[in-house]
Amino acid sequence: MGSDLLLILFTAAFAAAASVPMIIIPLIISPKKPTKPKEMQYECGQIPSGAGKMSLMMQYYAYLLMFVAFDVMSMFLFAWGLSIQTVGLNGFFVVVLFIGLLLVPLGFTLYHAGRREIW
Amino acid sequence: MALIRNLLEFLIRIAILVVIIIILIPILLLAAYHLLGPTFPIEPSMLLDPSETLAFTLKLMDTDLFRITVFPGFTFVALYAAIAGLWERKLLAKMQLRVGPLYAGRFEGILQPIADVLKLLSKELVIPKVVDRFFYILAPLLTVIIATAAVAVIPVTDKWVIARSDVGVLVIFAVLGFFPITALMAAWSSNSRYPLLGGLRALHQMVSYEIPLILSALAPVVYAGSLNLIDIVRVQSSVWFILLAPVSAIVFLVCALAELERIPFDLPEAEPELVSGWLTEYGGMNFGLILGIAVYIKLYVLSALFTLLFLGGWLGPAFLPPEFWFILKSFIVTTLLLIPRGVFPRLRIDLLLKQSWARYLILALLNLLVAALVVLSGFSLR
């Protein structure tokens, strides 16, 4: 496993070595004629006003919270899926119960994300 | 006079570039030699003697360096990305009764990818003043690096694979989990409104569709009883998993479309409302690195993963080599992922997210439980 990880890191490092020139070459050969409008951020031709990093409604925040729960659940299911022969039918019913328990908060999330009047 | 001055300036820049390349190449060769060092006995005479050329090449092809840089590694996927990009443009053009790229390379614009890269490389690099420069430059680089890291565990055949990982499926999902972070990094560092809105949408969408994607990939894993991608393909020698887990396969394809931000799920880059989403402030080669290379490498990773999990990987009739079957199947899956762009309209963001959690998650779980029951009832492919 150690050498596998090293090989994956080498592949990523080669990708970095191959794409850094792609950023450096334009710095050297491309023309530079900066003007003021060019260096503004883009807002459909308007002169931008105010901060770009504004505060936004996180109306789908409930989904992000569900992701935290379900990501852990999916990893747990991977562990169960690999040892399915050893845990047998009893383990299967436990997992069905576990998924059923998680579907209750999922239904609650879907209900709350659908309530547009509270945003 | 101005023309001559511009020309002179251009020539000087080219000269600087050539000098840098001349200095860099020996350094890179030296690094490669040290990387090969212990496993690869190289002698200068092998390079000079013509009768040893074939033996030398064969030996070189058997090294990790060759695999990382050329065949299942970076050069192969970059080529695949270029071909898939051209194929997408031509295919969509034909579907919509246009002609697509036509002039570069005389025959049907076949050299268009090269022309695009040359254009992007020679364009002026416009970076807005308000951006957070470090992360702004880092985001496209990281996107390419992460996409290529996932390629390392994908076996083209059982011989052509960079890292023979026992947990290949998990490695790919772990790497795919980084993409929302780079999208958000690009969006936040741009310090502009359209990128921020697009980046948040990308975050919600990628995160929501990751769960059904992971769970739909679990059904083949349950049938095969292994996370090793090579093992999963070997088990499919009698029957492909798309016949045993058809619902999972469809869910996987839909979620792959959403992870790739392609139409009908291209809300992060919806042109009429968000200009170009989280890529709005990017231009020149920074833009090309993300949209020209990283997105298509990700497309390759997901279609190769679908091929390995559901379509029997490199297995096929013996009159053609297994590498060919793998690339052919991956390319067909890639085409399946490209076609919706010419057919479907765009969804609304709340419907998109609700659909992921209320439909695809349930469908993937149902097929997973069915697969588990089938395996528990004594069905085995081994």
Side-chain angles (χ1 to χ4, degrees):
Chain A
M1 189 58 214
S3 68
D4 288 344
L5 187 61
L6 210 62
L7 283 171
I8 294 170
L9 287 181
F10 271 143
T11 315
F14 183 76
S19 36
V20 164
M22 294 282 169
I23 287 182
I24 294 175
I25 291 173
L27 288 180
I28 299 168
I29 66 168
S30 66
K32 282 177 207 65
K33 291 191 183 90
T35 59
K36 213 171 176 199
K38 261 190 207 169
E39 293 182 335
M40 288 176 181
Q41 65 267 50
Y42 184 79
E43 279 190 14
C44 289
Q46 306 269 343
I47 292 174
S49 63
K53 293 170 183 167
M54 53 184 179
S55 60
L56 287 165
M57 288 189 299
M58 289 288 278
Q59 70 216 68
Y60 304 111
Y61 182 60
Y63 287 133
L64 293 185
L65 282 183
M66 286 314 291
F67 171 75
V68 177
F70 272 80
D71 208 25
V72 176
M73 182 205 80
S74 60
M75 284 304 114
F76 175 75
L77 286 182
F78 260 88
W80 163 71
L82 283 176
S83 57
I84 196 161
Q85 297 286 7
T86 37
V87 293
L89 211 56
N90 287 332
F92 176 79
F93 289 123
V94 172
V95 164
V96 170
L97 188 71
F98 174 64
I99 292 172
L101 280 179
L102 270 174
L103 287 184
V104 177
L106 179 64
F108 188 65
T109 306
L110 285 172
Y111 166 69
H112 266 289
R115 282 174 68 200
R116 286 201 207 92
E117 70 275 7
I118 61 169
W119 305 121
Chain B
M1 209 54 208
L3 187 78
I4 293 173
R5 208 178 61 211
N6 280 354
L7 200 69
L8 217 66
E9 217 178 274
F10 184 71
L11 284 178
I12 290 170
R13 285 186 181 143
I14 294 278
I16 294 171
L17 192 69
V18 169
V19 169
I20 289 174
I21 289 172
I22 288 172
I23 294 168
L24 265 184
I25 282 179
I27 294 174
L28 282 179
L29 279 180
L30 215 65
Y33 177 77
H34 278 281
L35 197 70
L36 287 171
T39 55
F40 186 63
I42 184 173
E43 289 159 28
S45 66
M46 287 182 97
L47 288 169
L48 298 174
D49 187 358
S51 65
E52 294 224 30
T53 314
L54 185 66
F56 174 79
T57 315
L58 286 177
K59 246 182 176 175
L60 186 71
M61 282 171 75
D62 204 28
T63 55
D64 281 339
L65 185 74
F66 182 83
R67 285 194 215 106
I68 288 172
T69 53
V70 188
F71 181 44
F74 190 78
T75 311
F76 168 65
V77 287
L79 204 66
Y80 190 97
I83 292 172
L86 180 65
W87 172 237
E88 176 184 15
R89 290 171 73 177
K90 288 307 279 190
L91 188 73
L92 290 178
K94 302 282 177 204
M95 284 169 77
Q96 297 167 345
L97 302 180
R98 294 183 283 116
V99 285
L102 200 58
Y103 297 108
R106 302 246 166 178
F107 174 70
E108 295 285 319
I110 206 159
L111 296 181
Q112 190 65 35
I114 299 173
D116 281 343
V117 168
L118 286 179
K119 186 201 91 174
L120 287 174
L121 279 177
S122 59
K123 259 180 102 164
E124 180 182 0
L125 207 63
V126 180
I127 299 179
K129 273 222 163 116
V130 287
V131 302
D132 187 343
R133 271 184 176 246
F134 179 70
F135 290 107
Y136 180 86
I137 302 280
L138 193 67
L141 272 180
L142 266 185
T143 321
V144 177
I145 290 169
I146 289 165
T148 317
V151 172
V153 287
I154 287 181
V156 172
T157 69
D158 43 5
K159 283 190 221 89
W160 290 110
V161 48
I162 298 173
R164 288 164 195 278
S165 176
D166 283 338
V167 287
V169 182
L170 285 184
V171 171
I172 289 181
F173 287 129
V175 171
L176 282 180
F178 279 105
F179 279 102
I181 299 175
T182 57
L184 204 61
M185 191 194 255
W188 189 253
S189 67
S190 293
N191 198 358
S192 175
R193 284 179 190 170
Y194 288 117
L196 188 60
L197 281 168
L200 282 177
R201 278 188 183 183
L203 175 75
H204 284 111
Q205 175 177 331
M206 288 184 189
V207 151
S208 289
Y209 276 83
E210 206 172 296
I211 306 286
L213 188 77
I214 290 174
L215 288 177
S216 60
L218 185 50
V221 170
V222 167
Y223 280 125
S226 167
L227 283 173
N228 189 330
L229 284 165
I230 298 176
D231 280 353
I232 290 176
V233 172
R234 278 191 189 138
V235 171
Q236 296 179 65
S237 56
S238 51
V239 57
W240 292 355
F241 286 150
I242 191 168
L243 298 174
L244 294 176
V247 179
S248 282
I250 293 166
V251 171
F252 189 97
L253 268 187
V254 174
C255 295
L257 269 178
E259 283 281 308
L260 287 162
E261 297 170 17
R262 302 197 71 84
I263 291 175
F265 306 117
D266 71 329
L267 287 147
E269 291 157 40
E271 292 95 354
E273 13 179 331
L274 289 181
V275 190
S276 189
W278 54 278
L279 291 167
T280 304
E281 299 295 347
Y282 281 88
M285 204 57 209
N286 286 336
F287 178 77
L289 273 179
I290 297 182
L291 209 66
I293 301 177
V295 166
Y296 285 96
I297 292 179
K298 199 176 164 191
L299 179 65
Y300 166 75
V301 168
L302 284 168
S303 32
L305 193 61
F306 184 82
T307 309
L308 291 166
L309 289 175
F310 294 103
L311 294 182
W314 56 85
L315 303 171
F319 61 88
L320 284 169
E323 292 87 352
F324 176 83
W325 284 116
F326 180 83
I327 293 169
L328 180 72
K329 285 175 188 172
S330 303
F331 203 76
I332 290 171
V333 177
T334 304
T335 311
L336 272 180
L337 291 175
L338 294 180
I339 285 176
R341 188 169 164 191
V343 183
F344 291 117
R346 189 175 293 131
L347 269 92
R348 222 169 62 205
I349 183 82
D350 59 328
L351 294 179
L352 177 91
L353 295 176
K354 195 172 176 186
Q355 190 161 285
S356 158
W357 290 99
R359 303 216 179 115
Y360 298 127
L361 178 69
I362 307 295
L363 281 176
L365 276 174
L366 279 181
N367 201 339
L368 170 65
L369 293 180
V370 169
L373 275 182
V374 169
V375 170
L376 279 173
S377 68
F379 174 83
S380 176
L381 283 166
R382 282 181 181 271

